[in-house]
């Protein structure tokens, strides 16, 4: 069975952390648009500098750029078991594009997991991470901006997946193992 998981949630909700556990257990290919963008940013190419100008402000990188980047990666990192999409889709336009991209490759999203974490805990986690992460967007001002953008531009993606009957809430607080246990219960019931 091919398993395509969209892992969704606010900045700091644990998407990256839980993706790593999911990859280990189910052998999926991890596609994190944040990681892909940061890799490009580090090259200091013109594209990397452009990407950095969005990330550093807590803004979303334009849809066209993200969508074409992801389409390329889908073809270079082929997976028989499926993918975990982390940090993508982040706008309704991206969700629609993902549906088309997967359909063109005879695939579809199997489940969308929405990690629910309170705002106070998100800020606390990201400030702590900022001490060691070196991420240019892990500072108080940019964290607040990221959360605001999440509410205005990204939260509507959940309605898209609700309509598709794929949105599933996961309580995103507690230990990392407890949260992963909740995810496994949902995936194993598919
Ligand atoms: P992206 O890299 O996707 O960042 P994000 O969504 O802001 O989320 P994070 O990666 O900060 O958090 P996470 O949910 O992965 O949590 P994590 O597991 O790390 O995007 C960055 C930027 O890139 C965007 O702002 C945008 O500019 C751009 N971008 C990316 N994708 C884009 C797209 N599709 N379209 C447009 N622009 C895009 O956990 C956070 C911390 O909490 C860690 O320190 C972790 O150790 C800790 N933690 C995890 N679980 C727990 C727990 N249970 N208890 C306590 N601590 C925990
Ligand atoms: Mg992440």
């Amino acid at each position: 069975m091919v398993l395509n998981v969209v892992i969704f949630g606010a900045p700091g909700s644990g998407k990256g952390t839980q993706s790593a556990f999911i990859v280990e257990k189910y052998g999926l290919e991890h596609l994190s648009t944040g990681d892909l963008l940061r890799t490009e940013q580090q090259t200091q190419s013109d594209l990397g500098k452009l990407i950095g100008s969005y990330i550093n402000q807590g803004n979303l990188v334009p849809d066209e750029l993200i969508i074409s980047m992801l389409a390329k990666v889908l073809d270079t990192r082929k997976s028989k078991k499926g993918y975990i999409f982390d940090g993508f889709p982040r706008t309704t336009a991206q969700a629609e594009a993902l549906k088309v991209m997967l359909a063109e490759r005879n695939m579809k999203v199997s489940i969308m997991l929405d990690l629910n974490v309170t705002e106070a805990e998100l800020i606390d986690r990201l400030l702590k991470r900022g001490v060691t992460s070196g991420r240019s967007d892990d500072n108080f001002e940019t964290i607040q901006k990221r959360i605001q953008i999440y509410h205005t531009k990204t939260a509507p993606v959940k309605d898209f997946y609700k309509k598709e009957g794929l949105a599933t809430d996961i309580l995103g607080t507690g230990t990392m193992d407890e949260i992963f246990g909740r995810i496994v219960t949902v995936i194993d019931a598919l």
Side-chain angles (χ1 to χ4, degrees):
M1 182 179 101
V2 177
L3 182 64
N4 289 312
V5 178
V6 169
I7 192 150
F8 187 80
S13 57
K15 300 182 296 293
T17 302
Q18 294 300 325
S19 291
F21 292 138
I22 294 170
V23 164
E24 205 188 336
K25 183 168 170 72
Y26 298 98
L28 307 185
E29 184 72 23
H30 182 201
L31 299 184
S32 158
T33 45
D35 289 348
L36 292 167
L37 291 170
R38 279 184 289 279
T39 301
E40 185 64 43
Q41 191 186 358
Q42 277 152 18
T43 67
Q44 285 291 306
S45 63
D46 286 345
L47 177 61
K49 285 181 190 155
L50 176 69
I51 287 169
S53 70
Y54 293 102
I55 291 183
N56 298 345
Q57 299 295 317
N59 285 317
L60 294 183
V61 171
D63 283 338
E64 314 80 70
L65 207 162
I66 289 284
I67 291 165
S68 65
M69 181 181 84
L70 200 84
K72 265 185 222 146
V73 171
L74 265 182
D75 292 328
T76 52
R77 288 165 58 179
K78 286 211 164 62
S79 169
K80 288 204 173 77
K81 293 190 172 172
Y83 297 89
I84 177 150
F85 298 95
D86 164 4
F88 178 92
R90 245 179 164 91
T91 61
T92 306
Q94 291 181 19
E96 280 159 0
L98 179 62
K99 188 172 178 175
V100 173
M101 255 186 261
L102 290 177
E104 284 168 354
R105 294 163 179 82
N106 293 313
M107 291 190 286
K108 56 183 168 54
V109 171
S110 315
I111 188 86
M112 182 266 213
L113 304 171
D114 180 16
L115 295 171
N116 300 172
V117 177
T118 61
E119 193 155 315
E121 179 150 353
L122 296 173
I123 294 171
D124 185 54
R125 286 182 187 178
L126 292 175
L127 284 176
K128 273 191 193 135
R129 189 179 67 186
V131 176
T132 53
S133 69
R135 266 180 62 165
S136 58
D137 56 351
D138 279 348
N139 58 77
F140 189 63
E141 200 189 339
T142 313
I143 290 167
Q144 282 189 311
K145 180 76 182 294
R146 284 156 67 196
I147 292 174
Q148 181 209 326
I149 298 278
Y150 168 78
H151 286 302
T152 54
K153 299 210 170 142
T154 302
V157 170
K158 188 163 185 192
D159 296 322
F160 177 93
Y161 285 109
K162 269 191 193 161
K163 281 187 204 132
E164 304 256 311
L166 295 172
T168 309
D169 285 299
I170 301 284
L171 178 60
T173 52
T175 67
M176 293 173 190
D177 285 347
E178 281 165 351
I179 299 161
F180 185 54
R182 293 173 196 138
I183 290 175
V184 169
T185 303
V186 169
I187 291 181
D188 287 350
L190 287 174

